[in-house]
Amino acid sequence: MSPSNAASKSPLTTYLQVAPLMLVLLLFFAVPVALVVVVSFFRYQMLVGIVPDFTFRNYIDLFSNPTTWTLYLSTVKFTLITLAITFVLGFWIAYFLVFHVRSLLIAIGLFLVCTVPFWTSNIIRMISWRPVLGTEGLINSALIKAGVIDQPLQWLLYSDFSVVVAYVHLFTLFMIVPIFNSMARIDKSLLEAAVDAGATRWGVVWNVVLPLCKTGIALGALFVVTLVMGDFFVVTVMSGGLSGSATSGIFNDLQFLNYPRAAANAVILLIVVLLIAAAIFRLVDVRKELVR
Amino acid sequence: MMANPNLQGTSVAAQPGSGEIRLVNVTKQFGNSYAVKDINLTIPHGSYCCLLGPSGCGKTTILRMIAGHETPTSGEIYIGDQMVVGKPPVERGTAMMFQSYALFPHLTIQDNVAFYLKMRGVGKEERRQRALEMLQRVQLDHLKDRMPAQLSGGQQQRVALARSLITNPKVLLLDEPLSALDEFLRLKMRGELKSLQNELGITFVHVTHTQPEAIALADMVVVMDTGRIDQADTANIIFDKPKTPYVARFMGGQNVLTGTVEKSGNGVLKLKAADGSIYETAHAASSAAAGSPLSVAVRRDRVSLKKGRGNGVNAVNSIAGIVDATEYQGSYVKVTINVASDVFVANVSDSAYFAEPVDTGDPVVANWKAEDVHVLSKVDSGVAADHGH
């Protein structure tokens, strides 16, 4: 649209054009979130249910409960570990695809291979780890047959380890895609210019590729953080119920029909995730980078 | 700003070692096709060399092999007396200026210029200072904190130049440096490149597909054709005395004529063309056996035109035809003439043209002197491509 065209339109037209999306966002996003916030201040009474009220009871309950802190701490721990591993994997896989695979066709093929974990349902993906990591599983029996160990390794399945393995398996793609996207936009001659100026292979990655992928890394990190922070299924299945996440707490409260406390917990989780997102966007001005 | 005594001697003019480039039997293969085949070339130290040819002729591949961004399949490349194949660019003493300039978009132009020093581990203060001095040389120091995207094309090119020169190179490699600029800037930068090369005294290797650019800049023009060097000589010889029909055609200023040798000796060669025309040379350096085919070239601006059909008899060193087009060029008029099976071009000076103007459809006879006929070393393969200007 040309500027003169836009200027000739009345503000009303512009509002009308934005209206459908606004409506969808209001109905399906703003209203539910507002409801959750409102309910989080309600009172829960045994046998009666939800009683409209304005009380900080639910929040006080949650903050004074050590379980909340344990769950949040464990969630943050999983998030950080997953973030670190998916970043390292995602960065180098994207780097390989963009700068080392010369044929576009092969690059697209390999890219599709990265999406294989998503060709089946989440439950099947989780269950398939059992024959691999279990006591009688592939890895343990292989290690025993090879004589490396006498007893099967117990920490392979139903442990923090298996939770992280599942997260990495599931979420690395969310790191690869945005990093791949920003890497693919790097002019290859920039790498040669850096080599020309005496940069080593590492120097090129550190001084040219990494800074130019900041947007992709930030977006990938955002995906992984929100996905891990919002998960309770993977952590429950893969830890055998031994570990939990912040969302597990919400899930438990919902099962006891304690909606107000679940809502309060949801609000806390929302704030935590928003803070992390704000921190990421503070480090990288994604909007500025996207229009570059 | 810190006054650092070590910086006093910072000058790009101090050159260690020679910037002579020698390519020995260099071949580069991509899959089954040859980008460059068995090339031998010596570029003298301190010369301005232009690699000239159409796209896909391998000129950029040669440049990239000298720079070290491409490895020859076989053959050797020397810079000074150092065999450089397999060595990184910094050890070669080369610096490359990329066609797209390849400025780092995430760094200010000062940091772009300082990048080389950063890679060398030079401290922040010192490298910023030296980068600033280099930016002063290209008159961009007032923009040092801008990002590359905020600069115009011409300014970006100056930054790229500064970034190349800060490495103190023996050889500066320029990959179509002027192609992204508009006509006015192109001419301006062309002049600046030439004077910069004079001032620095280092070897410049400049890839271009534009003939006037090569002729204006180069001490040495290397004309290339699909992976081979056709001729490497001074601009004057390339333009005035091309070796092959390809060079004659590509440089644009020549008409190529082919015939069979009738008589040879005493520097006089007499050719008979297929249509019966007779061409004669005044002082040919070589002699040729009678009956063998031979091609000659006549400069377009050495041709004079006369209106009319001729007298029916084929006069020596003349060709008759119908004017196909006239193109006013200011100081001369380019007259394209359709002759028997080919196109003949005469660049007539404007005074001569307006004394006796010809127009499309007019029959004309073109004449030239025997001493203006130049013998080519190869017989024309008959590709009547007109790269003319």
Side-chain angles (χ1 to χ4, degrees), chain B residues 163-185:
Chain B
R163 192 180 62 180
S164 305
L165 292 178
I166 206 162
T167 67
N168 230 11
K170 291 186 279 186
V171 175
L172 184 64
L173 304 162
L174 307 117
D175 187 7
E176 309 220 1
L178 306 175
S179 61
L181 303 177
D182 63 51
E183 190 63 25
F184 173 75
L185 260 179

Side-chain angles (χ1 to χ4, degrees), chain A residues 225-243:
Chain A
V225 166
T226 48
L227 285 168
V228 176
M229 296 283 292
D231 166 75
F232 83 95
F233 178 77
V234 173
V235 75
T236 311
V237 174
M238 292 309 285
S239 72
L242 296 176
S243 275

